Amino acid sequence: ALEVGPGSRVATVANAGFYTSLACRRLGARPIYVDVDPETACMDAERLDEVLDGSFAAVVVTHLYGQAAAMGRVLATAGRWGVPVLEDYAQAAGARVGGQLVGSFGAASAFSFYPTKNLGAYGDGGAVLTDRSDVAALARSFGHHGIDHDPSCHERVGFTSRLDTMQAVVLQAKLGHLVGWNRERRVAAARYDELLLDGPGPRRPTTLPGNEHVWHLYVVRVPDRDRVRRELVGRHIGAGVHYPVPLHRERSLAPWGANAQCPEADLAAASILSLPMFPGITADQQVRVVEVLVDIIEQGASTAIGC
């Protein structure tokens, strides 16, 4: 709907889900990977400023782990070149920047209702948010076989991509709980922050000034991450990695990522660890998570120095 097509260049990040790159490749566009900020793992606005020019068709900025990227600087850079910004809003339902809801900054936003998200359906689902009538009309058409008004006439090649009624009913019921659930996530994140304040090893996540984080994930940095994760799971504590392979190193994207320089995304992929985070997690559960995590890290440190 933003008229990205064959040969288009799209600026995006390597530390994100595969989906933006997949959309680019299906359209014949080329993803250009911008490195991430070392503190937030969101798009580094300075790197975008170095890369972007008038040859780009779009910027896709991912709001990662529950907080917004540096939208003021991203929008300013894109605006100088007249390049539309698409917000990947999948992990940030309800997040804000300076009081303004994330997803309302760019030309459009892509919203995921996958069940694990802060606002999740019973199955798969998603939405496009935009205040541009042309983008809205094209998005509706693309999602409904390419039909505009006459159901017997397909104006373009589209998709079958409609939210079914069952998902809509579940989402409508959950929507009224989103603010409360996000509040519970913030309480849990503050508790993790406090528990990890004086402990060794894990590096706590950073929230940008002015951002209201909704903590889709609580992601720390740890040494020897793969061993730490294995041992956590072995002690019955779930832990994830978002994301273990930077997109510029995916085999299926090798022709387009081969020349990308994303050292911070590489460092993140080697050290990030997502701790258990969900509405209703208890203080006792979080205390156990941190105690076990610190114990595993300390054991690793002792082994490394031969104690």
Side-chain angles (χ1 to χ4, degrees), residues 20 32-33 41 89 100 133 150 159 217 220-221 278:
T20 295
I32 305 295
Y33 296 108
Y89 189 35
Q100 182 176 341
S133 58
D150 182 351
F159 307 88
L217 298 168
V220 296
R221 304 279 190 105
F278 52 88

Side-chain angles (χ1 to χ4, degrees), residues 97-286:
V97 179
Q100 182 176 341
L101 278 167
V102 172
S104 64
F105 288 90
S109 303
F111 199 133
S112 171
F113 298 131
Y114 188 72
T116 61
K117 298 299 191 288
N118 290 35
L119 179 63
Y122 185 70
D124 281 304
V128 173
L129 291 73
T130 183
D131 60 0
R132 282 178 45 176
S133 58
D134 58 331
V135 174
L138 282 170
R140 289 190 182 100
S141 177
F142 279 124
H144 188 48
H145 315 301
I147 295 171
D148 282 350
H149 305 292
D150 182 351
S152 64
C153 182
H154 297 76
E155 299 291 341
R156 55 192 55 82
V157 177
F159 307 88
T160 303
S161 183
R162 296 169 300 210
L163 189 70
D164 69 74
T165 304
M166 176 65 77
Q167 308 312 324
V169 168
V170 171
L171 288 164
Q172 188 170 21
K174 285 185 170 184
L175 184 58
H177 298 281
L178 179 61
V179 171
W181 286 337
N182 284 345
R183 187 182 304 116
E184 290 182 42
R185 288 175 180 272
R186 282 193 290 273
V187 169
R191 188 180 295 127
Y192 270 139
D193 282 348
E194 185 66 27
L195 290 168
L196 291 167
L197 185 61
D198 299 319
R203 188 174 116 198
R204 298 179 301 165
T206 299
T207 301
L208 292 175
N211 277 8
E212 186 175 316
H213 208 310
V214 293
W215 299 102
H216 172 61
L217 298 168
Y218 188 92
V219 179
V220 296
R221 304 279 190 105
V222 297
D224 198 10
R225 191 272 316 288
D226 292 339
R227 177 191 65 84
V228 171
R229 185 189 183 196
R230 283 196 306 272
E231 294 192 23
L232 279 171
V233 173
R235 299 196 201 183
H236 308 291
I237 292 175
V241 179
H242 302 85
Y243 299 88
V245 181
L247 293 171
H248 66 296
R249 302 205 180 275
E250 287 274 13
R251 285 194 296 271
S252 59
L253 296 170
W256 302 278
N259 296 321
Q261 300 297 316
C262 299
E264 292 298 339
D266 286 327
L267 287 171
S271 62
I272 49 180
L273 185 71
S274 302
L275 302 183
M277 169 60 75
F278 52 88
I281 189 171
T282 67
D284 287 345
Q285 288 171 326
Q286 290 185 269

Side-chain angles (χ1 to χ4, degrees), residues 279-305:
I281 189 171
T282 67
D284 287 345
Q285 288 171 326
Q286 290 185 269
V287 167
R288 180 167 184 269
V289 169
V290 172
E291 286 178 346
V292 173
L293 175 63
V294 171
D295 183 55
I296 290 169
I297 292 172
E298 287 179 335
Q299 286 183 5
S302 297
T303 302
I305 62 175

